[in-house]
Structure formats: structure tokens, C-alpha cells
Amino acid sequence: MKFLLNILQQQEHLFQKGGKLEKLYPLYEAQRTFLFTPPQTTVKGPHIRDSVDMKRVMITVVFALLPLIIFSFYNTGLQTARAYNEVQNLAWWQLMVNGLLIELPIIITSYVVGGLWETIFAIVRKHPISEGFLVTGILLPLTLPPTVPLWQVAMGVSFGVVIGKEIFGGVGMNILNPALTARVFLFFAYPASMSGDAVWIKLIDGNHWIDSFLYHTAGAGLVEGFSGATALATAFTVPANMEPMGIMQDMSNFNHFNWFTLFIGLVPGSIGETSAMLALVGALILIVSGVGSWRIIVATIAGALVMGFGMNLWSNGTGYMALPPWYHLVMGGFMFGAVYMATDPVSATATDAGKWIYGFLIGVLCVLIRVWNPAYPEGMMLAILFMNIFAPLIDHFVVQRNIQRRLARAKK
Amino acid sequence: MKHYKIKRGYDIPLQGRPESRMLAIEEPSVCYLHPARVRGIKARLSVREGDSVQIGTPVFYDKKEPALQFVSPCAGKISAIQYGPRRVIESIRIEKNGAAAVQHARYNLDQIKSMATPDLVDALLRGGMWPLIRQRPFDIIARPRETPLAVFINCMNTAPLSGDPEFALQDQADFFAAGVAAMQRLGAKNVHVVVNGNHGQDSIFARALQATDGVTISAFSGNHPAGLVSTHIEKLAPILDLGHLVWYSTAADVVAIGQYLTSGTFPVERVVALSGSALSETGYIKAPVGCPVQNLIGDRLRDGENRLISGDVLTGQTVSLNESIGLYHSGLTVIPEGRAERFLGWLSPGFGLPTWSRAYLSAFIPGKTFAQHTNLNGEHRALVKTGDYRKVCSLDILPEQLIKAILSEDIEMMEQLGILEVAPEDLALCSYICPSKTEFTEIIQAGLDLMQAELN
């Protein structure tokens, strides 16, 4: 690979001070450090440093997302095929290719548009392009329904990167999770594309050339009794006097909802959120590598379970409140949010004690919003953003406790 | 003897530990002094180029405290004085000639034990030994007219690739006892001697003090920074506000004080540990104070671009071949420079990449050691990862919040978060593990400077 390095080194003078392309230095630097580790040695402080840098931390998060991403290709294709009763006619790899073709444009748009904004800010502010974007760029598509129009993806990622991160000063300075900021913007600005029963399964447009290429029976009709409702939407509509498992069973004729299918995730929903099982695999990777906080993940699950049990006690056996709490863990984006969104170290609390409180309240709020709020079926996104805002306050109290401990020692 | 186990911290698995053997060196014909490197003083010369000096002749002093003198470690002629920016005195080169020494009063052990504090202080100042006594807070040279609440003698060294005082000072027990007796006469209520928990009662220092009373001996064990003086102070005599003054010295410093008081002349030999993967052999050297690094290394340097570090890899200072090691350093570490650019390095599984975290697979190979080089291994970024810094810091402080308070120059918050308890060396491991390459040690030093400026 020396020849690549030689080419890059030859180009360097163009981008340095006084060179023709001086302003584009962040772009050159990002490319060079992407391909080759930087040659800088330590100048002050400790003479040796750990091999882990920001790039490694971010790519570890992407590694933890990979099982989920690959699964999502299969699942998206599967959901579409089921809608036309075509599953028996297609091989598993064909389903994966379908899913890939549906998802890739969304992922590419997210990375390209977001990357463009990152580059503009890096050039204007004269600092390196930050690696945080490697994660934000893939997290946002995973929270979107597969039918989302690409121009909305572009709008969302722009809002998320600019308002959610860059105006605060870039990676490390933001208060809110950038991917969730993008998602919440899309949720409130374009609600028809983000919620309701029509968005979770990509339906075939007979005139579209890709669809004709994919499905040999393009133009075949939708299956009888088709419903694009997710488990969350279904639970949302449980009447107060009806036993919740009854409703879940009713829908299961089409969508096979029971705890296990929800856990594995072969159900409709946002692209990456359906599989709680693979989110847990990702959690394992994040915890073992030391990149994600196990405290936040465990606390979030605990908070949801506690709130769910509390609601069970308060209900009289019927209605949404009576839904067993472990269903909340596998429905909707709960596990995905708990593992990948809540654990974003910049927007979460910094102290260990704070992480327990932060995660617990996210779990509590998520279930609360889901069950009691009549406007939104999904509570995870709002719960995490709400706690993002309170994270500094929680940290403040933990810091005060450290200070009080010090003063108490002084008095002794 | 109370035993303290320090649970937090990290021992970096480095190659190049100093072997337990004495190495020979070529006797140097020059010696060097570096006034600019002594923190907290404004150095002023007492000599000029061309002057003849003896061992113990004052060479420079602190403008703010003229009684604080620094003396020549060898006899001969001042051959060159090098200045740096803003007229700081970077180096004083003395060409050796003979061994004439300034003779001060000598004391035996009983006389030391009954010395009056002002007399002891004057004796140490005259002999140029006072700089070996440092203070906390602020980690600067102690002020002679003050009285500390406690005195600490640190007989441990847990820094990576550092020498073991138990080996280096093994035949200095009598001088150590004399030095401790002197430290007891400084007016403090308590004198604490801290030894390595791996030796405990068998520590040469504990055994040397069997006949001494009035001294509290404690043992500490655990990963680095279990051997740092802040860790000991926090457990034994915590510093809680500006009124809590603690003085400290290392075992080697105390041995030197004992030698001075017993012989009346400046002690010219110190044991230096030679370590690092860029050396073909490692060990300990009985070297003259001010010895050029060139002589210490001899022909043991491996090929390639290397970095010479006076002190340890976490807190040491880069030196060149014709400089001497630092006043408080008892080791020289030599490691390879690392300027290689690896293709897609951050994507590799990393079986050979040293890391405290487990994001590279080297963490899963038990017992692996590394010949770590000086590459920054990343670029400076904003603080992102939280919660890890406490795991490598033995003190009950919140490292990120403390440095953020320093960066925003919030004096009150700094004090509340414990700036008075720390020295830069305590957070060096935080800088080591940080993926954003945050310079904790620099920021802490800036915070300490800010606090001192605020008080004056």
C-alpha cells in the first residue's frame, strides 16, 4: 500500500498553508487518516498512548450494528414478500437482495448528505472532519420506515447533523442524540411518512423497473387481510375493556405476533429496530469491547420492567396497561434505542451513578408514553431525547455528592 | 503495619523492564545542570562562565527565595551556559577536574535526632539539599519557613518501566535511617513511610527503621498509581484545603539527605534505572549526579529513531544525549519513536496493538507485552467517552469534571472537585487511555498554576 501513501504525500503540499486547495485541508486530512494511521508522535503529556482512538470507538459501534443491518436486509425483503404471499417463491438470498435494494438508497443518502454537511462545517470552522458521523449516518436509516422518501431522509439528516450536533460545536459538544434529533424532526414535520399503518412495509409499484426485476409476479395483488400494522400500533389500539393478549392474537393471523417472533424480529417496523435479539448481540459487542455502557442498557431495561409491572398492578387486567412488561422490551424500537441510542456517551450522563438514573428513567418514560399518551404509539425516541436534556442535571447532583463527600472528610 | 490495597489503576504491559543487575558506564568528563526544568522557581545564576567550582558550590538560586540554592554536583570549571527563550537558563555545562568538595558540618545519628528544626533547615539549604523536599498541594519545592502537617517518604515506584527502590537502595539502609531521622525533625506532627505491599515487613526500608520510633510505616499494593504519593496522602493524611500542607520526598532523596548530613558533603552518586525496549540491555547504574545521558546509555542503543525519556514514559521529559536526567528522576527510559503510517490501521483486529480497552483483540491474549512506541495513535478530539477515567485513577475525584472546570477556569469548582489533592502524574493514565487523546497532565498543571496565581 506504499504507492497509495506516496500519492497522498505528493498531494499534501496542495492542501497545506499557502497551497491552492488550502481550504479543503479537512477533506484531504479525512481521506488520508481514513486510509492510513496518522504519523504524529506525542509531544506533551505521556509519551505513549493507547491504540484506541475515536475512529476505533466509532467503528466498533458499527461492528455492533452489523448483525442488525444484515438481518434488516432479509427482514425488509421478507415483509414485502409476505404482503404478496410470495415468500414460498423466493430464496432467502433473493429476499436479502430485495431488502438491500430497498435500504441502500436510504443509507447512501444519509451518509452522503450528512457527510456533506460535516465537510462544510469542517472547512468553515477549520477543524478535522469528525468520526462521529460514521455512526450517526447509519443509525438514522435504521430508525426510518422502509418506505421513507429519499428527499425526507436528506432533510432529516441535515437537521440532525446541523441542529443536533454542529451548531453546538460538533462531536462531543451536543446535548441531544443527533440521529434521534433527525428522527424526531421527520416525525413531527412529515408525520404521514413516519407513522400509521401504511409505512412499515414496502409495497411494490408495478411500474417501477426494480420491482419488475425483483418480483417475477409484479403486479400480483396484496394478500387478503393484509395489515401493515406493527405490534406497537396494534397494542396501541387495544380497547380499555379488552384483554390485551386477545388483540395481539387477532392480528397474529397475518403478522405472527407473539413474544418470540417479536424477539427475533421478523415483523414489520422501522428498518433496524425490529430484532431485539440482534440488538442484544450488539449490546454484548459494545459491552465486551468497553465502548458501550452496560449500566445504561441494564438500567433502561429495568426501568421499563418496573414501570410495566407498576401499570399491571394499577390496571384491572384489561387494556394496554395490562400488557405484560416483557412485551415492551421486544416491541417497537425499545431494544434498539436502549443499546445504540441511549448509550451515546456524549448525550448521556457522564457519571456512573448518573447512568443508572438516566437509563432507568428512559425505560420508565418510554413505557409511560407508549401506554398513556394518546398521540404517539412509540415512546422510546421521545424518552431518550427528554432524558438527554436532563442528563446534565443528573450529573450535577452526582458531582455535588462527590463534593459533599470531600467536605465531609474535611470536617472529620 | 497497615496494608492498603488500591483497586483502581492499570499496569501497562511494556517490554524493557530494568533487570535486577548493576551496569557499568564510562566515567563522564562533564556534568550538566538544567535550571529551566525546575518548576516553580525563577533561576538566577551564582556563577559565570569560566568560574571554578567545587562539589557543593552554589551554582544557581531561586530569585523569589534566595536561600533556596542549587549546588554543583562536580568539581571543575563552568564551561558553557546555554540560554533559552525569555532568558531561561537551559543548561550549565561543567568540565570535571578533581573532586574538591565544600565541607559542611557533619552529624551522627544521635545528633540528627536532637537537631532543632531551624538548624536542620539551614543545614539543608546550605548544602543544596532543600530542593529534594517537595510539597502538596501544587507539587512544588517546599517553602523553608513553613511547617507541614505531615511528611511522607515514598519508598515505592509503580510507574511503568521504573526502577525498584528496594533493589536500587539495598545497601543504603544506614543513610536511609539518618535521612528519616532528619525528616522527623522538620516539625510535622506525623511522618509516614510508605513501602511496597509486595515486600511489607521485609522491605529494606521497613527493616532499616526497626530501631526508629515516631514513624508510621504503611504498605500499599495494587497497580499504578498505587505507588504515587497522592494515593498515599489521600488514605493517610488527606489534603482538604489550603491549610493542609504536606511535604514529601522519595526514598532516594531521603538517602541523599542522610548521606549529606552524615558526611557534610553533597552526595554525588545516585542510582539510575535504565529501561525501555529500545535498549539492548537494561539494569541499574550508580551514576554521578549530572551525568550526561550519553554516558548512561553507552552503546546500548538499538538502531532506529528512538526517544530518550528522563523519568517514566507517563510523566517523563524528553532529553538529548548531552543533557542530564531530571532532579527528581531516578530512571532513563528509551523507547522507539513511532511514525509509521499503517494502512486501515483502525479497522484491523489488532492482535499486536496495546490497549487498555478491549476494542482491539490484543486485550484477549493474556500476558502479552508490547514494545510500545511514541505514536499518538489517533488525533486530538473533543472528550467523548465517559466513565473510563475513574477506573485508572486511584483518587476519589471525577477526572472529566475536574479538567472541564479547569478549562473553563472555574476556580471554585476546581477546588471543590479536588485540584488541591492532585498532581499531573495522578491523571497520566487517564491521558494514556483516552481515545480523544486529551492532555490531562497539561490541563492539571494549568489548573495548579491558575490556583497558585489566584492566591498571589
Side-chain angles (χ1 to χ4, degrees):
Chain A
M1 289 302 150
K2 277 289 275 175
F3 76 96
L4 255 178
L5 189 57
N6 288 336
I7 295 173
L8 283 166
Q9 279 169 337
Q10 279 163 8
Q11 306 280 336
E12 191 170 7
H13 70 279
L14 280 172
F15 296 94
Q16 281 173 332
K17 275 206 172 17
K20 273 199 306 185
L21 300 170
E22 187 188 333
K23 285 211 181 324
L24 293 181
Y25 182 71
L27 205 54
Y28 167 80
E29 203 250 359
Q31 180 139 75
R32 177 146 173 192
T33 56
F34 182 90
L35 290 169
F36 291 95
T37 56
Q40 275 81 31
T41 52
T42 51
V43 170
K44 41 187 184 174
H47 296 265
I48 55 175
R49 302 299 172 97
D50 201 304
S51 307
V52 165
D53 62 347
M54 267 296 109
K55 282 191 174 61
R56 185 66 181 183
V57 169
M58 297 304 171
I59 206 67
T60 307
V61 180
V62 176
F63 286 155
L65 281 167
L66 274 180
L68 211 67
I69 297 170
I70 296 172
F71 173 84
S72 74
F73 296 145
Y74 178 75
N75 191 38
T76 309
L78 178 69
Q79 297 304 318
T80 306
R82 269 195 195 153
Y84 296 95
N85 206 8
E86 284 289 329
V87 182
Q88 66 272 23
N89 296 336
L90 294 168
W92 67 267
W93 61 266
Q94 283 178 306
L95 294 172
M96 282 204 75
V97 168
N98 293 350
L100 194 78
L101 290 171
I102 294 170
E103 291 183 25
L104 261 188
I106 302 174
I107 296 174
I108 292 173
T109 310
S110 172
Y111 269 121
V112 166
V113 174
L116 207 68
W117 281 111
E118 289 273 357
T119 308
I120 292 173
F121 272 91
I123 290 173
V124 167
R125 288 192 179 153
K126 300 188 176 55
H127 67 56
I129 297 178
S130 172
E131 300 82 0
F133 186 65
L134 282 175
V135 172
T136 313
I138 188 64
L139 274 182
L140 176 64
L142 294 175
T143 62
L144 298 173
T147 57
V148 64
L150 291 182
W151 67 270
Q152 286 184 9
V153 176
M155 295 288 287
V157 83
S158 303
F159 188 86
V161 167
V162 176
I163 307 289
K165 193 165 67 174
E166 288 301 332
I167 60 169
F168 289 103
V171 171
M173 311 290 182
N174 45 293
I175 306 173
L176 302 170
N177 186 314
L180 278 181
T181 312
R183 181 66 174 84
V184 83
F185 165 76
L186 288 174
F187 179 74
F188 285 112
Y190 307 109
S193 322
M194 294 291 132
S195 46
D197 290 350
V199 304
W200 307 110
I201 301 180
K202 176 89 176 170
L203 298 178
I204 297 168
D205 178 354
N207 299 320
H208 203 221
W209 72 270
I210 280 189
D211 298 352
S212 327
F213 166 71
L214 294 175
Y215 291 90
H216 63 273
T217 54
L222 280 176
V223 139
E224 278 282 326
F226 168 75
S227 164
T230 60
L232 209 55
T234 310
F236 193 58
T237 58
V238 170
N241 59 350
M242 189 171 285
E243 201 234 296
M245 294 320 301
I247 289 278
M248 302 287 273
Q249 230 83 47
D250 260 353
M251 298 308 302
S252 75
N253 289 328
F254 181 77
N255 275 318
H256 319 273
F257 292 150
N258 60 49
W259 194 88
F260 282 105
T261 56
L262 288 171
F263 181 63
I264 293 174
L266 292 171
V267 292
S270 294
I271 291 176
E273 71 175 14
T274 53
S275 178
M277 177 178 77
L278 290 180
L280 280 178
V281 166
L284 204 68
I285 296 176
L286 288 179
I287 293 171
V288 164
S289 67
V291 166
S293 166
W294 63 271
R295 288 179 177 87
I296 295 179
I297 299 172
V298 169
T300 309
I301 295 173
L305 288 174
V306 164
M307 190 59 171
F309 276 122
M311 285 189 166
N312 285 167
L313 290 174
W314 201 3
S315 78
N316 46 10
T318 58
Y320 197 172
M321 287 207 314
L323 188 68
W326 48 88
Y327 272 85
H328 281 293
L329 302 182
V330 296
M331 292 196 311
F334 181 86
M335 210 42 108
F336 181 80
V339 172
Y340 300 103
M341 296 296 195
T343 53
D344 169 28
V346 179
S347 51
T349 50
T351 54
D352 282 348
K355 284 176 178 158
W356 287 110
I357 302 172
Y358 169 81
F360 189 81
L361 288 177
I362 288 179
V364 164
L365 274 175
C366 176
V367 172
L368 200 150
I369 296 174
R370 278 180 176 183
V371 176
W372 282 347
N373 189 316
Y376 317 122
E378 178 55 274
M380 195 55 173
M381 165 182 76
L382 298 168
I384 295 177
L385 284 172
F386 192 73
M387 290 317 297
N388 280 166
I389 296 178
F390 277 89
L393 186 66
I394 297 173
D395 273 340
H396 170 81
F397 284 115
V398 176
V399 168
Q400 285 303 117
R401 221 177 46 165
N402 180 288
I403 294 175
Q404 294 308 323
R405 262 207 307 271
R406 184 164 288 106
L407 288 176
R409 282 201 292 266
K411 289 197 173 40
K412 263 203 295 166
Chain B
M1 175 183 302
K2 203 150 176 237
H3 200 123
Y4 295 86
K5 281 198 187 2
I6 302 297
K7 291 187 217 82
R8 296 195 290 240
Y10 177 58
D11 273 339
I12 308 175
L14 292 173
Q15 290 170 8
R17 285 220 157 100
E19 306 226 16
S20 296
R21 61 176 165 197
M22 300 304 293
L23 298 171
I25 59 164
E26 197 187 304
E27 276 302 308
S29 57
V30 295
C31 80
Y32 289 94
L33 290 167
H34 303 288
R37 291 214 207 124
V38 183
R39 241 179 341 99
I41 67 160
K42 274 190 158 57
R44 287 282 178 277
L45 288 168
S46 320
V47 294
R48 276 182 307 214
E49 259 186 52
D51 282 357
S52 287
V53 291
Q54 294 183 330
I55 296 172
T57 309
V59 174
F60 65 96
Y61 63 94
D62 180 10
K63 180 181 166 206
K64 294 179 287 191
E65 170 87 62
L68 182 59
Q69 301 183 103
F70 295 77
V71 304
S72 170
C74 63
K77 198 161 73 154
I78 310 273
S79 70
I81 299 179
Q82 250 186 336
Y83 291 91
R86 281 178 274 127
R87 299 285 296 173
V88 301
I89 309 162
E90 290 213 338
S91 94
I92 302 172
R93 186 172 183 271
I94 304 173
E95 292 216 348
K96 283 188 164 184
N97 193 349
V102 175
Q103 182 70 54
H104 296 289
R106 313 150 97 119
Y107 306 87
N108 60 35
L109 189 58
D110 291 315
Q111 287 170 314
I112 296 175
K113 285 187 176 172
S114 54
M115 259 179 116
T117 307
D119 295 335
L120 175 62
V121 171
D122 283 334
L124 292 174
L125 283 169
R126 260 182 281 122
M129 304 301 292
W130 190 259
L132 295 177
I133 301 175
R134 287 173 281 175
Q135 72 160 64
R136 293 293 176 84
F138 305 127
D139 201 27
I140 50 178
I141 298 176
R143 283 187 256 264
R145 304 302 154 204
E146 292 179 348
T147 309
L149 281 176
V151 168
F152 276 76
I153 296 167
N154 190 1
C155 306
M156 284 177 76
N157 198 340
T158 52
L161 298 182
S162 60
D164 184 5
E166 301 275 343
F167 179 84
L169 302 171
Q170 52 192 312
D171 41 2
Q172 309 282 7
D174 292 333
F175 292 124
F176 181 72
V180 173
M183 299 301 271
Q184 286 182 284
R185 303 303 309 153
L186 287 172
K189 273 196 289 193
N190 291 306
V191 174
H192 292 274
V193 174
V194 175
V195 300
N196 199 319
N198 296 336
H199 298 265
Q201 301 278 11
D202 296 325
S203 155
I204 59 170
F205 305 105
R207 281 187 278 135
L209 296 177
Q210 267 167 353
T212 313
D213 44 37
V215 163
T216 315
I217 307 179
S218 314
F220 276 68
S221 59
N223 291 331
H224 186 65
L228 289 182
V229 92
S230 291
T231 312
H232 310 154
I233 292 174
E234 194 196 44
K235 290 276 189 288
L236 297 167
I239 294 170
L240 304 153
D241 55 45
L242 288 162
H244 280 76
L245 194 61
V246 171
W247 286 357
Y248 75 98
S249 283
T250 63
D253 296 338
V254 168
V255 162
I257 289 175
Q259 284 172 329
Y260 164 72
L261 290 170
T262 315
S263 68
T265 56
F266 183 83
V268 294
E269 265 193 351
R270 297 264 262 188
V271 177
V272 176
L274 205 61
S275 60
S277 61
L279 291 175
S280 54
E281 49 168 9
T282 62
Y284 295 77
I285 301 173
K286 256 202 168 69
V289 176
C291 178
V293 166
Q294 171 70 73
N295 291 67
L296 291 174
I297 292 182
D299 54 1
R300 302 184 186 98
L301 203 55
R302 287 200 217 272
D303 286 331
E305 206 188 343
N306 296 313
R307 183 178 294 194
L308 311 163
I309 301 169
S310 164
D312 63 76
V313 286
L314 290 177
T315 60
Q317 185 162 29
T318 311
V319 289
S320 63
L321 289 168
N322 51 5
E323 291 177 344
S324 66
I325 66 170
L327 179 59
Y328 303 112
H329 292 153
S330 56
L332 183 72
T333 309
V334 188
I335 54 176
E337 294 274 15
R339 294 191 214 276
E341 297 181 61
R342 293 171 293 121
F343 181 62
L344 292 179
W346 50 284
L347 268 178
S348 65
F351 288 107
L353 296 176
T355 177
W356 169 85
S357 74
R358 292 178 300 274
Y360 281 114
L361 298 177
S362 65
F364 299 103
I365 306 176
K368 192 164 166 68
T369 58
F370 303 90
Q372 194 159 6
H373 52 64
T374 59
N375 195 294
L376 188 60
N377 285 331
E379 300 171 281
H380 286 105
R381 292 282 184 267
L383 265 176
V384 170
K385 278 213 90 243
T386 58
D388 288 338
Y389 305 113
R390 276 210 11 124
K391 295 187 194 150
V392 292
C393 189
S394 62
L395 305 172
D396 183 20
I397 59 169
L398 299 166
E400 298 148 51
Q401 280 74 12
L402 177 57
I403 63 164
K404 285 183 179 177
I406 296 172
L407 288 169
S408 49
E409 301 196 2
D410 187 344
I411 307 271
E412 207 184 303
M413 194 56 157
M414 264 194 248
E415 203 180 326
Q416 287 181 328
L417 287 173
I419 186 76
L420 299 175
E421 300 169 29
V422 300
E425 61 184 12
D426 300 312
L427 298 191
L429 273 177
C430 299
S431 262
Y432 175 76
I433 67 169
C434 181
S436 306
K437 315 301 166 189
T438 310
E439 303 289 355
F440 280 82
T441 50
E442 290 268 314
I443 297 170
I444 294 287
Q445 187 58 56
L448 292 173
D449 293 341
L450 206 59
M451 279 296 281
Q452 286 181 78
E454 199 60 25
L455 296 167
N456 297 336

